[in-house]
Amino acid sequence: MSHSGQNKQGVKPKLARSYWMQDLQDLDNETCWLVKELKSYIAQEADFLPRETGLNIMESAAENHNGVSAKCRNAKVEDLWSLASFFGFSTQTFVLAVNLLDRFLAIMKVQPKHVPCIGVSCLHIAAKMVEDECNISPTHELIRISQSKFTVSDLSRMEKIISEKLNLELKAITALTFLHLYHAVIVSLTSERGEIPSIERLEAQLKACLCQLIFSKAKPSVLALSVITQEFDALQSLAMLEIVQELQRHLKIVDSELLYWRGLVAKCMTEYSSSECNKPDNKKLVWIVSRRTAQNLHANHFSVPELPTIPEGSWDESESEDSCEDMSCEEDSLCGSPGSDAEGAFFPSEFCNQGRK
């Protein structure tokens, strides 16, 4: 064996298994800290998962159902990806927005007509938590570019509802949290950096997975490791796969669980890479419009009507979807004055009164 770490055939040696994580004290300070962070986050990740019964309801909902179907939710997540790209938001902002959206939809009965406002509200909340203030566009610009029919006042009130329903637990441990930690551990444990895919590539694969509701059921730690494992498997990188196996063993991630989600990730990547997939662009969107269209867009921003009433109330415990609260709409007509901060048709009066206490 030469000093370069390659054998006579020029083949890079496999890493010796089961030696580098036997004892945390044997690791360097940085890697030891990363592994401890992973264990800490795994202990907390369940607190930020969407309620599975609510996800099941969306999965089983037909497209013509009054509630939000998986297709409706997936389409909104793709819209959020496009919006995040347009405004130059980070992957962390997008992933957090999806987490907030899923957690909210999983506990509330929502009509599809309200999903645009909820989605943009989640993205705006996430941006305010993650991005530098100077990088956050004005709220009316976010609404205008999303081509949604609600006002700045509506968005502000919806953000308050989301914050209350999620008990102000807006920060979350997500699959992206683990993806970055896993990547950092792998980088710290090998000198073969050329075999390690960039974090940007792994982030793009994770974002593609999040566009499908099924992945919201996965534990973030398992989903992130599945993305990395699938990528190393596709690259036929045995040395990197051995590091992943040691991570799995040390973090006590069950083989069957990882195998299941790894298979779904591989299927998602196959579908996503096909020419038939209309995937959101990962670059900033560029709109080329005529002067007349631009004037109409500007004018329409000030003439959009408010959305109908969203009365709230708990579902009857005897109902099959008893885990969700009601945000159904009793009025089909759009009404109210745009941009009003007074009690209007969009939000229930009890919420507005509560906000004044």
Side-chain angles (χ1 to χ4, degrees):
M1 188 76 67
S2 65
H3 293 293
S4 64
Q6 294 184 343
N7 58 24
K8 293 180 180 180
Q9 288 73 33
V11 179
K12 296 171 183 175
K14 295 182 181 180
L15 298 181
R17 293 189 59 187
S18 304
Y19 79 92
W20 55 273
M21 279 193 173
Q22 292 292 348
D23 191 339
L24 288 180
Q25 295 178 353
D26 296 335
L27 301 175
D28 61 72
N29 290 337
E30 179 185 359
T31 308
C32 182
W33 178 84
L34 291 170
V35 173
K36 287 182 177 179
E37 283 289 284
L38 281 168
K39 285 189 169 184
S40 173
Y41 285 140
I42 284 179
Q44 304 173 58
E45 64 180 338
D47 296 336
F48 303 97
L49 284 172
R51 188 175 295 177
E52 188 167 354
T53 51
L55 298 179
N56 291 336
I57 292 170
M58 282 191 279
E59 277 189 326
S60 61
E63 291 182 35
N64 57 354
H65 188 263
N66 287 334
V68 177
S69 65
K71 184 175 181 179
C72 175
R73 175 267 180 200
N74 293 347
K76 177 46 57 182
V77 171
E78 291 179 359
D79 289 344
L80 294 183
W81 187 350
S82 295
L83 277 175
S85 297
F86 183 89
F87 287 102
F89 293 155
S90 65
T91 299
Q92 184 180 357
T93 295
F94 168 74
V95 173
L96 178 57
V98 175
N99 177 267
L100 296 175
L101 176 67
D102 285 337
R103 285 161 59 195
F104 186 76
L105 293 180
I107 60 173
M108 302 295 293
K109 284 181 63 178
V110 177
Q111 289 194 7
K113 67 179 74 176
H114 298 132
V115 173
C117 184
I118 296 170
V120 175
S121 296
C122 289
L123 183 63
H124 193 231
I125 291 172
K128 288 189 292 185
M129 296 178 64
V130 175
E131 307 291 338
D132 293 333
E133 187 175 355
C134 60
N135 294 331
I136 302 177
S137 300
T139 308
H140 69 272
E141 284 296 307
L142 185 61
I143 296 172
R144 182 173 67 87
I145 297 301
S146 70
Q147 302 184 52
S148 300
K149 294 184 177 180
F150 53 84
T151 67
V152 172
S153 180
D154 295 333
L155 187 72
S156 177
R157 293 173 184 174
M158 180 59 78
E159 288 181 14
K160 292 179 182 178
I161 288 180
I162 293 171
S163 298
E164 286 193 353
K165 296 305 177 183
L166 298 183
N167 298 318
L168 300 179
E169 289 287 346
L170 301 179
K171 291 185 178 180
I173 296 170
T174 66
L176 184 67
T177 308
F178 289 99
L179 194 68
H180 279 247
L181 286 172
Y182 290 148
H183 190 269
V185 169
I186 293 169
V187 168
S188 71
L189 288 172
T190 180
S191 59
E192 308 297 344
R193 302 294 174 87
E195 292 189 7
I196 304 176
S198 68
I199 190 63
E200 291 78 15
R201 177 178 174 83
L202 295 173
E203 285 181 355
Q205 294 179 354
L206 176 61
K207 288 192 284 188
C209 291
L210 294 180
C211 289
Q212 297 184 17
L213 179 65
I214 182 65
F215 290 102
S216 296
K217 292 184 175 183
K219 295 178 182 176
S221 58
V222 177
L223 177 56
L225 196 61
S226 299
V227 170
I228 291 178
T229 305
Q230 187 275 334
E231 177 67 7
F232 286 156
D233 189 45
L235 296 174
Q236 297 183 341
S237 177
L238 297 180
M240 297 301 104
L241 282 172
E242 288 184 352
I243 293 181
V244 170
Q245 289 170 359
E246 288 301 316
L247 270 173
Q248 176 192 350
R249 181 187 65 82
H250 196 75
L251 299 175
K252 300 179 180 179
I253 295 176
V254 181
D255 284 340
S256 58
E257 189 175 15
L258 182 62
L259 184 64
Y260 173 77
W261 290 108
R262 176 179 169 183
L264 289 181
V265 168
K267 180 181 177 182
C268 176
M269 291 302 101
T270 300
E271 295 173 351
Y272 191 73
S273 61
S274 70
S275 58
E276 298 177 359
C277 177
N278 295 321
K279 45 185 171 287
D281 193 357
N282 60 2
K283 300 179 181 178
K284 286 188 177 182
L285 304 180
V286 178
W287 287 8
I288 302 176
V289 298
S290 66
R291 182 179 300 175
R292 177 181 299 178
T293 301
Q295 290 173 344
N296 288 337
L297 284 173
H298 183 74
N300 288 339
H301 164 63
F302 296 99
S303 62
V304 286
E306 288 190 345
L307 290 175
T309 306
I310 305 180
E312 298 179 63
S314 299
W315 284 24
D316 189 276
E317 291 295 328
S318 62
E319 296 186 48
S320 59
E321 296 112 332
D322 57 357
S323 61
C324 301
E325 292 184 51
D326 191 8
M327 278 189 68
S328 59
C329 176
E330 295 178 349
E331 300 179 19
D332 293 327
S333 61
L334 298 175
C335 58
S337 58
S340 172
D341 288 324
E343 293 181 17
F346 192 76
F347 292 92
S349 58
E350 58 267 24
F351 171 77
C352 297
N353 292 333
Q354 181 180 356
R356 296 194 183 100
K357 291 180 181 179

